[in-house]
Amino acid sequence: MTIHDMPKGRTDGAVRFVVNGKTVNLTLDHRVTLLDALREHIGLTGSKKGCDHGQCGACTVMVNGRRINSCLSLAVMHEGDEITTIEGIGTPDALDPMQDAFIRHDGYQCGYCTPGQICSAKAVLEEIRQGIPSHVTADLDHVTFSDAEVRERMSGNLCRCGAYSNMLNAIREVEAGK
Amino acid sequence: MKFDRPAEANASDRLLVLGQPHSRVEGRLKTTGAAPYAYERQDVAEGQLYGYPLGAAISRGRILSMDTEAATAAPGVRAVVTTLDMDPLPKDSHNVNRLFGGADVEHYHQAIAVVVADTFEQARSATNLIKVEYHAEQATLDLSEVTPPETEPAADTGDFDTAFANAPVTLDEIYTTPAQTHAMMEPHASVAEWKDGKLTVWTSSQMIKWWRDALAKTLSLDVEDVRVESPYIGGGFGGKLFLRADAVLAALGSKATGRPVKLALPRPLMTNNTTHRAQTIQRIRLAADNDGKLIALGHDNLSNTPPGGDGEDATSQSLSFYGAPNMRIVNRVAEMKMPESNSMRAPGDAAGLMTLEIAMDEMAERLGMDPVEFRALNDTQVVPSNPKQKFSHRNFVDCLRHGAKEFGWTNPAPASRREGHWLIGQGMAGAYRGSPASTSGARVRLQADGRVIVETDMTDIGTGSYTILAQTAAEMMGLPIEKVEVRLGDSRYPVSSGSGGQFGAASSTAGLYAACVALRAQIAERLQADAATLDFRDGEVHDGTRSVSLASLASDGELVAEDKIEFGEFRSKEYELATFAAHFVETAVNAYTGEVRLRRMLAVCDAGRILNPITARSQVIGGMTMAVGAALMEHLEVDSGRAFFANHDLASYEVPVHLDIPEQTVIFMQQDDPYSTPLKAKGVGELGVCGVAAAVANAVYNATGVRVRDYPITLDRYLDRLPEV
Ligand code: FES
Ligand code: FES
């Protein structure tokens, strides 16, 4: 079989979702990941591609209030979803407190993992607030903020520059400021 | 400007802006996703197509044929360029393995084709339709199978054999370090536009000039017709020093299609396609008298490289770190056809200190000495392998003493402390890293609004270049940091040192200092004043009688000055310039499972004037973090039958994550080194990765009483030897 006589059928599909508050209508190759839809089709390049295989967390975005690795998800599966990317969290002129804390605590160096870290950091605080337990939660009925909880929950976001302990300081401060 | 004698007091000494803890000037861009990395340069060239590479499926042999018919006919495909379409491309001197062209395969995942298509998905899928027929040959990548080649010693002082044989206390052990991969978070990526015989590449490069020259050589272009831009780099660690296949393939794709092409190396291709830190086998011999004074030091290293490369010289620090009258230092490099071993953060010293600093720990124990005191006793103020050469400044002993005090170092007996299920250990190590500098240029442009624009092809790979350069110009011109705009990473700007070898910060700020001195001279000329008497402050220049705003000086047009710093021989020949650190680590090892957790880490660094304590500290903790990986998990697994690194992605090559890293403390001794640069600064980015892994190893030993001499220290190496529970 060559590519010419492959079975006929749709290889693309229409999808509509909301990104950072704006409705987006796209017709996409079924193989396009949510990450590539954001970066290559919508021009939101703040979400990063570190591995394209769910191994690094650089592509972390929020979908319907939950963080996901957007490289592990096909865009056409997101019909009707509400997506928030780093661009929807804050802008250079209007920083989110987490972005501001990352800057002040130097929670990054090269910056490539940073949008994913910030999306995850915000999600982690929310997960703790909602009482969602993690692997290190001692009492499943009482989930509370701790350094260990943050370290555990942030561990899907790799930072090869090694800014972890600075990020922890930033996240701690944002939590304390709430 | 020539730097041919030690710096005297100068305008950079005020430290109103320099030396201050300024947060990164590009922070708002990086934290909001607005900083554009190479693959994201959608704005720079109209009509970009997508390229996707094909890597060789064998480790050694020849390509007999490539059938590209199906790939070429696949939807959206604009071009398929294969390695058989051309002779081997000329190789730049910095590259060891060739990057593309010809039928020979020298290593696994060598680039052998690029498919260009309208979309990423089309290019990727068409790549899979290329049918390749190989003639495969047996290759080897296994260092333990190699007969070490005979090599002249790098140092052979005194009478090593006699001294070692007659010493009362000796150590003779073999240590190994594995191959490691940089694993920077941003994959190698480029957008290339080949148009009218000129090539522009927007890429991710640590060294703009090297890449520009290498592109010209590899693609047979005039250097003047090549432009390279790389303002944001998602980590490099040495992996982006030299031209890589992403840029070459994007350029060839652009040439074939007449359109700009962008291409990133897929993560699983990076390890075997690009470069890595070579594995090493090291024999260390130490001999001391009963008081603990080293009598003999022998370090014999074996690593591997493709033909013509350097491998990993793990003996490099042993020439200079500890004093011993009898030394034999030998570095052996075995050549084999293999993925390219080359620079990774602190090449040489990182792997050498992983082992030397375990050996020092073992030796201290044999002597019954505190390892802090044993190191302090064997400090030296001259280079032991060449005693005529003095250190410009060396405060290693203070690092040790200060660190011991701050950490609460108690030198506990091995396997003597337990808290519940956890065995607690303390470990320490020394660190050494040279502090070279190289020629670096910059241009400064005073604007009519009083701002200064800095232009240099220097790169910021997360190291803080944007910020420390802004601080340098602000200090020199008497401006607040907000009034300086720094533009980096463009081959149209003056050539800088680039980022590597821990020379970037010291060299590039010195180059900018020179350019600022030139601008100050220009201003003095305008004011018909003596430059030495002018005081630049608060956006004005004062000469004792009058004050003139900088803005007014540029009201008729910008003032532009350019210069470079060139370092005289005294800096490298008469004196040895280096940085030093002492590292302290506390570990907890689970008494039942053997799991290692780090509890706290301390680094005390002696690295000259610290230009920015925030970014310098981040460089050090970043190095410490990478070294935790080296100590406990990082290991490229050699498939010796297929001769490739098998764990070539981020799921199987493990790097430290948040949960692995404890509280980290960094103390800088803050001592200016006038022998280094006019700013009296040295590098610190590689120092942070040196010695730390051994401190972790020594702490694991201290917790368990089990010595592991092969990195990384994983469960399989010691679980069966843990104390009975
Ligand atoms: S890019 Fe999605 S996890 Fe790495
Ligand atoms: S800041 Fe570079 S990888 Fe995290």
Side-chain angles (χ1 to χ4, degrees), chain A residues 40 92 106 109-110 160 164, chain B residues 28 37 50 262 618 634 656:
Chain A
E40 306 301 330
D106 213 37
Q109 290 203 60
C110 77
R160 189 56 160 165
Y164 297 130
Chain B
R28 285 172 181 264
Y37 297 83
Y50 291 82
K262 68 173 172 178
S618 289
E634 293 186 34

Side-chain angles (χ1 to χ4, degrees), chain B residues 82-370:
Chain B
T82 81
T83 193
L84 298 183
D85 295 344
M86 61 198 77
D87 289 335
L89 294 179
K91 193 168 60 113
D92 181 71
S93 59
H94 289 110
N95 289 95
V96 182
N97 282 332
R98 2 189 231 94
L99 293 173
F100 198 69
D104 287 343
V105 175
E106 296 177 327
H107 62 94
Y108 188 69
H109 276 171
Q110 176 180 316
I112 58 170
V114 55
V115 174
V116 182
D118 290 338
T119 71
F120 173 71
E121 294 74 22
Q122 290 168 336
R124 182 179 58 190
S125 103
T127 305
N128 289 322
L129 298 173
I130 299 174
K131 294 194 198 85
V132 189
E133 209 187 331
Y134 298 98
H135 169 77
E137 293 164 24
Q138 182 64 45
T140 179
L141 185 51
D142 195 348
L143 195 57
S144 62
E145 287 173 3
V146 166
T147 315
E150 282 309 315
T151 314
E152 279 297 302
D156 200 355
T157 58
D159 180 351
F160 177 83
D161 291 322
T162 309
F164 188 79
N166 296 331
V169 184
T170 60
L171 169 140
D172 183 356
E173 296 289 355
I174 305 280
Y175 305 84
T176 64
T177 66
Q180 299 168 339
T181 182
H182 309 80
M184 70 297 274
M185 293 311 306
E186 182 206 19
H188 305 266
S190 296
V191 181
E193 184 174 44
W194 194 320
K195 205 165 145 187
D196 308 326
K198 293 195 197 309
L199 175 67
T200 308
V201 177
W202 295 269
T203 189
S204 187
S205 158
Q206 297 177 226
M207 305 292 287
I208 300 299
K209 171 86 163 77
W210 289 2
W211 280 57
R212 185 187 194 201
D213 290 350
L215 278 165
K217 168 105 190 232
T218 306
L219 299 169
S220 302
L221 289 162
D222 283 340
V223 172
E224 287 68 40
D225 291 334
V226 178
R227 204 182 125 217
V228 176
E229 230 192 77
S230 181
Y232 291 98
I233 298 124
F237 313 114
K240 294 172 180 170
L241 284 170
F242 319 115
L243 178 64
R244 299 256 58 91
D246 59 301
V248 174
L249 297 181
L252 293 173
S254 177
K255 191 181 186 188
T257 57
R259 297 262 298 268
V261 170
K262 68 173 172 178
L263 180 145
L265 294 187
R267 175 64 62 176
L269 214 74
M270 286 167 60
T271 302
N272 288 284
N273 177 275
T274 70
T275 64
H276 66 278
R277 190 198 299 282
Q279 51 191 317
T280 70
I281 301 173
Q282 305 176 41
R283 180 186 187 191
I284 296 182
R285 284 179 289 175
L286 300 176
D289 63 21
N290 286 317
D291 297 332
K293 199 86 185 129
L294 282 174
I295 300 168
L297 190 158
H299 197 158
D300 196 317
N301 176 62
L302 173 67
S303 70
N304 54 0
T305 175
D310 296 327
E312 180 80 3
D313 180 4
T315 67
S316 53
Q317 73 293 319
S318 297
L319 295 163
S320 314
F321 198 11
Y322 295 114
N326 304 285
M327 298 180 87
R328 182 172 299 146
I329 311 291
V330 187
N331 178 41
R332 301 172 206 272
V333 187
E335 296 195 338
M336 43 181 80
K337 292 266 168 89
M338 58 179 278
E340 182 169 327
S341 49
N342 213 319
S343 299
M344 177 169 153
R345 201 173 196 170
D349 295 356
L353 287 158
M354 284 169 79
T355 64
L356 179 65
E357 289 298 308
I358 293 184
M360 289 295 284
D361 204 59
E362 294 195 68
M363 193 65 180
E365 191 178 16
R366 287 180 198 193
L367 286 157
M369 286 181 77
D370 183 323

